[in-house]
């Protein structure tokens, strides 16, 4: 299954695990995408897509608290 078929929650759970969403949203999009490329081996396009989804989901979690 490709990254584009995953829900934002699935992407967050896969790459962020138990990280505190409040800490995740402190990271810039570029820094997060770079980390996903280096640590997870994602392509640049996939990493930026995942970063966008992760940051949006983390913001939603923080706002719901």
């Amino acid at each position: 299954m490709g990254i584009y078929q995953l829900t934002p929650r699935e992407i967050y759970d896969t790459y962020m695990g138990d990280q505190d969403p409040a800490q995740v949203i402190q990271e810039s999009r570029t820094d997060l995408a770079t980390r996903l490329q280096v640590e997870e081996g994602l392509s640049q396009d996939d990493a930026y897509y995942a970063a966008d989804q992760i940051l949006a989901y983390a913001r939603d979690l923080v706002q719901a608290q």
Side-chain angles (χ1 to χ4, degrees), residues 8-62:
R9 179 181 180 170
E10 291 170 328
I11 294 170
Y12 185 92
D13 290 346
T14 299
Y15 297 112
M16 296 294 103
D18 293 332
Q19 288 188 34
D20 180 8
Q23 287 184 302
V24 172
I25 62 173
Q26 298 303 315
E27 196 166 355
S28 76
R29 177 183 186 248
T30 300
D31 288 344
L32 181 55
T34 300
R35 184 159 57 99
L36 292 170
Q37 288 176 74
V38 172
E39 294 177 6
E40 304 294 338
L42 295 180
S43 70
Q44 183 175 352
D45 288 343
D46 289 353
Y48 274 97
Y49 175 79
D52 290 341
Q53 298 301 306
I54 288 166
L55 290 170
Y57 186 73
R59 278 192 296 271
D60 289 347
L61 289 175
V62 169

